[in-house]
Amino acid sequence: MIVIEAILSTLREQPEIALFLTLAIGFWFGKFRFGIFSLGVVASTLIAGLLIGQLHIAISPTVQATFFLMFLFAVGYSVGPQFFRALKSDGLPQVAFAILLGVVGLLTAYGMGKLLGYNPGLTAGLLAGGYTNSGTLGVATANLGQLGLGADVTKQMAALTAIAYAVTYPFGAAGTAWFLATIGPKLLRVDLAAACKELEKKLGTGDTEPGVGTGYRTLEARAYRLTNSPFVGQTVSDLEATFGDQRCVVRRVRHGTAIIECEPDTILPQGATLAIGGHIDGLLAAESKIGPEVEDTELLSFPTEQLDVVIRDKAVAGNTVQQLRAKFLTRPGSGIFLTKIARSGHELSFHPDFEVHRGDVLTLVGAKKDVEKAAKLLGYADRATSTSDMVFMGVGIVIGALLGAITIHIGGIPLSFSSSVGALVAGLVCGYLRSVHRTFGRIPAPALWVFNNVGLNGFVAAIGINAAPGLVSGLQTYGLDLFLAGIVVSMVPLIVGIYAGKYIFKFHPGILLGACCGARTTTAALGAVQHEAKSNVPALGYTITYAVGRIVLAVWGVVIILLMK
């Protein structure tokens, strides 16, 4: 007992320890899945904070705000390129769709709040939990002071915001995934798997499960002995031309003991061993054209590179994959293969007519010298680094937060865009600038993960700990009503979205359900929909709507408390 009392006393005296204990529990429990449902790290961290906070521990508001600004900047930085591209491209229908679902959710939460007599804090938590959007929770909590209700009332209201989020989040997460994956296709009257498979055929591509590899390799390098072949005495380019769309490239030639790096006009002598790289279907046909396959480790040990290249030149953006291959990747003597295209952090399916945009990341594979040459033509070689441009991030947050903190007075109430939303907008702008000018402002993916996840969950942990004293009374007073209201806030926008997407926007069913997931910023629901579809097609509707949804729902954190004041 003495040891336990000492630990509890230490936690009260040094709340930073309690904060990290909450984070540890939240990240640990958030990993568990129960069937198809997972509570998730954010909700787990909030609940852990509400429980640990029963010890009457106080976390400084400064610590809470610091974590949140870091999180919002990271969110904006991640989705900025996709957001601005969507505003000036054919992604506008998906932008409009995401805004529509956001407005419906806002109005539904507002209506339920008024019907049940909720205060601004409860209604904001209802919206955030029903939409499973922690950004709404954070922005609302950070801006309750704009209501001018006094420090004690504001603190109590912030506690109710966290409690409402904790009560409504579980159904918001699990219910959304279940509804979109199971009920959504029935409302659309479509066989989702068949519809997505048909679209894949039309696009000329198929998908595999994200994160799952395969023993099959489409790109290989093999060695062949040139014997009694019609290509003896011919050039490398003559042989390569016979492979056509199968795209195989002669990289090196062994003649006697000498190994020669090939050029298009290199002559192929009798008895030479050729190192050929390319698609496996072409290599399977190579033996009949050239001669027997042989083992030659030294010949095949030429340097290769897999490199991410960011499209930033207007002359390159707008080209299709087929045009890119013809102009930049199929030059004489080069063997470069495009294996992946990512946009705003999401890997996309692509086909010959797929159009690339500025900010897209192309993964190229081939001989090192050829890949480097292609990277200079296409854009910026985005090689891995562990260094973050903290000057860029720090200045961005300062400027955004200062602009957001500008206050105007309406009816005696101080109103502002808020420093939190200012940091989000700064992240959007900085992320977009980084996508266009890739020579500065780099924040590597692991660092961005820390800013995003530790920033968000550190903020949520502080909210939970500070809100804990009002947990029991809040649940007794509002628990069942809140849970039922959360179901309404979760479901109404989805039903509206499904029918609006079908009859007004006329989206493909798979893309429509992905867009519903994105507009609600619910990645778990996307996974459920893709599992039901047996395809990654829904991701085509997810990326733009996700970017817009993150922004819209964060802004709603300010709007909802002003509507309910």
Side-chain angles (χ1 to χ4, degrees):
M1 290 297 295
I2 296 177
V3 174
I4 294 176
E5 285 296 330
I7 293 174
L8 297 180
S9 177
T10 301
L11 292 177
R12 295 188 188 100
E13 294 172 1
Q14 300 184 50
E16 65 274 13
I17 299 177
L19 183 67
F20 280 98
L21 176 60
T22 302
L23 284 172
I25 295 173
F27 275 91
W28 169 72
F29 192 77
K31 295 186 300 182
F32 291 101
R33 300 189 66 84
F34 308 94
I36 64 169
F37 173 69
S38 172
L39 192 58
V41 172
V42 176
S44 298
T45 300
L46 178 60
I47 293 172
L50 288 168
L51 295 176
I52 291 173
Q54 298 301 315
L55 300 173
H56 296 280
I57 299 169
I59 302 295
S60 167
T62 302
V63 173
Q64 184 173 303
T66 300
F67 275 118
F68 194 53
L69 289 180
M70 185 166 64
F71 158 68
L72 284 176
F73 180 88
V75 168
Y77 184 93
S78 299
V79 304
Q82 188 76 349
F83 175 72
F84 284 107
R85 188 197 66 77
L87 293 180
K88 55 182 181 181
S89 75
D90 56 4
L92 284 176
Q94 292 189 17
V95 172
F97 180 82
I99 293 173
L100 171 64
L101 258 64
V103 170
V104 173
L106 175 69
L107 294 178
T108 305
Y110 172 76
M112 294 303 297
K114 286 294 186 182
L115 178 66
L116 298 172
Y118 287 169
N119 62 37
L122 273 169
T123 308
L126 170 63
L127 174 61
Y131 258 69
T132 62
N133 190 273
S134 48
T136 308
L137 170 70
V139 173
T141 303
N143 286 276
L144 286 171
Q146 293 198 43
L147 300 177
L149 300 175
D152 291 339
V153 176
T154 300
K155 184 176 179 180
Q156 293 172 3
M157 200 173 288
L160 290 175
T161 304
I163 292 168
Y165 179 82
V167 170
T168 56
Y169 181 94
F171 182 86
T176 296
W178 166 79
F179 183 85
L180 289 176
T182 305
I183 305 300
K186 292 182 173 61
L187 294 179
L188 293 170
R189 299 182 180 180
V190 67
D191 183 332
L192 185 60
C196 290
K197 186 176 182 180
E198 182 180 349
L199 181 60
E200 287 177 354
K201 288 182 178 178
K202 182 178 179 182
L203 297 176
T205 184
D207 296 298
T208 57
E209 183 179 349
V212 176
T214 172
Y216 178 72
R217 294 288 179 267
T218 59
L219 299 177
E220 293 280 358
R222 296 183 178 183
Y224 299 89
R225 182 73 46 76
L226 186 63
T227 56
N228 300 319
S229 167
F231 295 103
V232 173
Q234 300 295 309
T235 65
V236 163
S237 60
D238 291 333
L239 173 58
E240 291 177 347
T242 65
F243 288 101
D245 293 337
Q246 293 173 331
R247 294 198 63 220
C248 288
V249 180
V250 183
R251 294 300 323 148
R252 311 170 92 188
V253 172
R254 177 190 290 280
H255 190 208
T257 58
I259 294 179
I260 304 167
E261 299 293 333
C262 286
E263 297 295 336
D265 58 356
T266 300
I267 301 298
L268 302 175
Q270 171 73 28
T273 303
L274 315 183
I276 301 180
H279 289 286
I280 190 68
D281 52 355
L283 294 175
L284 290 173
E287 192 165 24
S288 62
K289 295 180 181 182
I290 302 168
E293 183 177 357
V294 297
E295 177 78 16
D296 195 327
T297 303
E298 183 184 10
L299 181 67
L300 292 174
S301 297
F302 56 87
T304 62
E305 184 174 17
Q306 176 173 302
L307 180 65
D308 288 342
V309 179
V310 183
I311 302 300
R312 62 177 184 177
D313 192 333
K314 291 182 179 179
V316 177
N319 280 278
T320 64
V321 168
Q322 186 174 11
Q323 290 169 333
L324 286 181
R325 285 172 174 158
K327 295 178 182 178
F328 305 103
L329 306 182
T330 315
R331 291 173 174 267
S334 68
I336 307 169
F337 301 90
L338 174 62
T339 61
K340 184 170 67 174
I341 297 177
R343 183 172 295 164
S344 192
H346 298 279
E347 183 177 346
L348 301 178
S349 301
F350 65 93
H351 50 90
D353 294 326
F354 182 92
E355 187 177 283
V356 299
H357 300 105
R358 295 180 74 184
D360 285 358
V361 180
L362 278 56
T363 301
L364 305 181
V365 176
K368 191 172 187 299
K369 65 175 184 177
D370 293 335
V371 170
E372 290 178 347
K373 185 188 301 182
K376 293 178 181 178
L377 296 172
L378 289 171
Y380 176 75
D382 198 20
R383 289 186 169 84
T385 177
S386 59
T387 303
S388 295
D389 191 341
M390 290 305 298
V391 174
F392 183 71
M393 179 177 178
V395 171
I397 292 177
V398 168
I399 294 174
L402 286 175
L403 291 176
I406 295 174
T407 303
I408 59 174
H409 291 78
I410 299 177
I413 299 177
L415 301 175
S416 72
F417 191 47
S418 83
S419 58
S420 52
V421 176
L424 174 63
V425 173
L428 286 170
V429 173
C430 289
Y432 174 73
L433 291 176
R434 163 67 183 167
S435 71
V436 177
H437 307 286
R438 301 285 294 201
T439 55
F440 65 90
R442 179 181 175 86
I443 302 178
L448 197 62
W449 184 94
V450 171
F451 295 144
N452 198 324
N453 289 274
V454 177
L456 169 61
N457 288 286
F459 168 77
V460 168
I463 286 179
I465 292 171
N466 288 331
L471 174 63
V472 175
S473 61
L475 288 176
Q476 289 174 341
T477 305
Y478 303 106
L480 181 59
D481 287 347
L482 264 176
F483 181 77
L484 295 176
I487 294 176
V488 175
V489 172
S490 294
M491 292 294 102
V492 169
L494 294 179
I495 295 171
V496 172
I498 284 174
Y499 286 111
K502 179 178 181 178
Y503 293 109
I504 298 175
F505 294 92
K506 302 186 184 304
F507 291 148
H508 178 276
I511 293 174
L512 168 57
L513 293 175
C516 287
C517 299
R520 288 180 49 88
T521 67
T522 309
T523 304
L526 176 66
V529 170
Q530 291 188 150
H531 177 77
E532 183 69 19
K534 299 179 177 61
S535 167
N536 284 343
V537 163
L540 297 175
Y542 181 80
T543 52
I544 292 176
T545 52
Y546 176 84
V548 177
R550 292 296 294 260
I551 299 159
V552 169
L553 291 173
V555 174
W556 279 183
V558 178
V559 174
I560 191 65
I561 63 173
L562 296 179
L563 287 175
M564 295 297 299
K565 71 179 188 319

